Amino acid sequence: MLEKLNIVKQRFDEVNDLIIQPDIISDQKRYVELNKEYKDLRALMDERERYIELTNNLKEAEEIISDGSDPEMTEMAKLQQEEAKVELPALEEKIRMMLVPKDPEDAKNVVLEIRAGTGGDEASIFAGDLYRMYTKYVESKGWSHNIVDFSEGTSGGFKEMIFEVTGEDVYGTMKFEAGVHRVQRVPQTETQGRVHTSAATVMVLPEAEEFDVEIDPKDVRIDYFCSSGPGGQSVNTTYSAVRLTHEPTGLVAQCQDQKSQHKNKEKAFRVLRSRLYEMELAKKMEADAAKRNSMVSSGDRSAKIRTYNYPQGRVTDHRINLTLYDLSNIVNGDIQKIIDELRLVENTEKLKENSDIF
């Protein structure tokens, strides 16, 4: 373990030197990449120091115990030995997980898109419930979010909701939410008390930086229109809402959240960049999934990933056969336990793939 950590330390020292070089500072893309790498390696260096401390304590304790000339020192050494023996296996497992190669996208912010699927009005209401669940979760993480575009349902909720989430390692956490979410419950409009099944699709796009995706302005058609509110009414009389059409791919991004045309255009371009970036990423994920047969990140956005069953108060994640009877807390934003389980499975898969490294 220490040998591997010493190799990591060499890279940490190298990155530490690189990020203060003028030519690196002037290259924004390289500088951002190295800063992210430095941060990850710094966390590993902290664990390395603790690992060295514990192994030294264990060695020192074993020497005192084998000498046995001082009963009081021997007793203290036994306590030190016991502490190190208890703590070391957990620390080694933590370090193994930290040594798993990280996806470069994990540190990115995200554009999150929720769309009502099958189920009519009930699907729109469910899409609204998912939006509320995610905003509560985002707030609990200390991240921030802001709406880009939305289309309200006729009986509440949203036909479509697009919003940005910014914070630390957002994509690495939220990527597990991508896919089809299903709800089973009695709709408010149901008079016979029958349980209906509705669905909504969640897409999680890593927010692309300008240097990740270059868009030729000649390829983009820009349309301006009036922002619309509930029932399609015009919110203002200025043409502040912006719709971008990327003609080579047919991708469309629009924003009507801000009063400023310039700000809406800026946001719409961020979404367009992210959608173009995600197209390439989805191809890569599908290729990786074909190689890895990954349970949790197949890249298939049509895959049914989770069911929220209201009559039984349960939530089931179908990728890892996890069922929790805690629906009320989960729909109120307490989804960390599900994400932790999914991350554990993904990291275990990666550990198997990289077993030669460890």
Side-chain angles (χ1 to χ4, degrees):
M1 179 67 79
L2 191 56
E3 195 180 312
K4 294 178 187 80
L5 286 171
N6 286 340
I7 293 166
V8 175
K9 188 179 186 306
Q10 286 175 7
R11 177 59 183 163
F12 174 73
D13 292 339
E14 189 183 329
V15 172
N16 200 16
D17 290 337
L18 281 170
I19 55 175
I20 56 170
Q21 302 298 326
D23 58 324
I24 296 290
I25 293 167
S26 62
D27 181 347
Q28 193 194 9
K29 184 178 181 182
R30 186 88 177 105
Y31 183 67
V32 168
E33 284 170 354
L34 284 170
N35 257 304
K36 285 173 183 170
E37 188 181 355
Y38 174 84
K39 194 176 154 196
D40 289 339
L41 293 174
R42 175 73 266 173
L44 254 171
M45 290 303 96
D46 292 342
E47 301 305 336
R48 174 182 174 271
E49 284 169 26
R50 181 64 183 147
Y51 183 78
I52 291 169
E53 183 190 348
L54 283 173
T55 48
N56 287 344
N57 287 353
L58 187 60
K59 189 180 175 186
E60 182 187 46
E62 283 166 351
E63 284 171 2
I64 293 167
I65 291 164
S66 65
D67 174 40
S69 59
D70 185 333
E72 196 176 324
M73 286 291 286
T74 302
E75 200 56 42
M76 286 173 67
K78 282 179 180 174
L79 289 171
Q80 187 170 297
Q81 182 190 47
E82 190 59 35
E83 183 194 337
K85 279 185 172 178
V86 167
E87 209 174 317
L88 267 171
L91 182 61
E92 284 178 352
E93 185 59 28
K94 184 180 180 182
I95 289 169
R96 262 195 291 274
M97 287 298 184
M98 289 175 82
L99 283 167
V100 171
K102 270 194 165 186
D103 291 332
E105 286 80 25
D106 282 359
K108 291 182 181 291
N109 297 323
V110 303
V111 175
L112 212 140
E113 305 186 355
I114 304 168
R115 290 188 177 84
T118 52
D121 287 343
E122 174 63 13
S124 295
I125 292 165
F126 178 50
D129 293 339
L130 289 176
Y131 171 64
R132 181 173 165 274
M133 178 179 85
Y134 289 132
T135 52
K136 281 182 171 285
Y137 176 67
V138 163
E139 285 158 11
S140 75
K141 296 286 285 183
W143 298 339
S144 59
H145 61 92
N146 66 83
I147 293 170
V148 174
D149 192 29
F150 66 92
S151 168
E152 290 189 311
T154 51
S155 298
F158 300 97
K159 289 177 186 170
E160 179 181 77
M161 168 57 78
I162 301 168
F163 61 105
E164 297 172 311
V165 181
T166 55
E168 196 172 310
D169 291 328
V170 181
Y171 183 72
T173 306
M174 296 299 290
K175 64 183 177 183
F176 299 109
E177 295 303 300
V180 176
H181 294 243
R182 211 171 58 149
V183 65
Q184 294 173 330
R185 63 184 173 193
V186 179
Q188 295 162 13
T189 52
E190 170 59 56
T191 53
Q192 304 295 316
R194 290 172 300 192
V195 173
H196 287 229
T197 299
S198 306
T201 303
V202 174
M203 284 180 66
V204 183
L205 318 181
E207 192 166 79
E209 308 285 348
E210 282 188 51
F211 47 68
D212 290 327
V213 177
E214 284 184 28
I215 299 173
D216 187 337
K218 294 199 293 289
D219 290 338
V220 181
R221 189 178 79 240
I222 304 174
D223 298 307
Y224 300 101
F225 58 100
C226 293
S227 297
S228 61
Q233 74 209 50
S234 184
V235 170
N236 57 44
T237 52
T238 59
Y239 283 76
S240 60
V242 176
R243 183 183 294 112
L244 308 176
T245 306
H246 186 250
E247 295 187 323
T249 60
L251 284 175
V252 176
Q254 69 178 41
C255 180
Q256 57 173 322
D257 185 55
Q258 302 291 324
K259 291 186 174 70
S260 152
Q261 188 184 90
H262 175 71
K263 284 182 180 174
N264 280 332
K265 187 176 172 184
E266 202 177 281
K267 270 191 179 183
F269 261 107
R270 284 208 298 273
V271 173
L272 183 60
R273 267 198 304 273
S274 297
R275 285 186 182 160
L276 286 165
Y277 186 70
E278 196 265 348
M279 269 177 72
E280 293 308 309
L281 188 62
K283 287 178 198 168
K284 179 181 175 293
M285 280 173 70
E286 278 171 27
D288 288 351
K291 282 187 290 184
R292 285 171 44 196
N293 194 25
S294 170
M295 279 191 283
V296 297
S297 52
S298 66
D300 180 4
R301 55 180 73 158
S302 65
K304 181 184 73 181
I305 63 162
R306 196 175 299 151
T307 298
Y308 304 75
N309 184 294
Y310 276 73
Q312 295 174 24
R314 67 173 163 83
V315 175
T316 300
D317 196 290
H318 305 290
R319 293 164 291 183
I320 54 174
N321 294 321
L322 172 72
T323 296
L324 298 169
Y325 288 87
D326 191 21
L327 183 133
S328 61
N329 283 323
I330 289 166
V331 295
N332 275 303
D334 187 10
I335 58 171
Q336 189 62 54
K337 51 199 154 199
I338 301 175
I339 289 168
D340 287 345
E341 290 293 332
L342 288 161
R343 185 182 277 136
L344 180 64
V345 170
E346 184 182 62
N347 283 343
T348 305
E349 285 175 3
K350 284 182 178 176
L351 274 172
K352 284 177 190 166
E353 281 171 46
N354 296 281
S355 54
D356 54 322
I357 297 172
F358 306 101

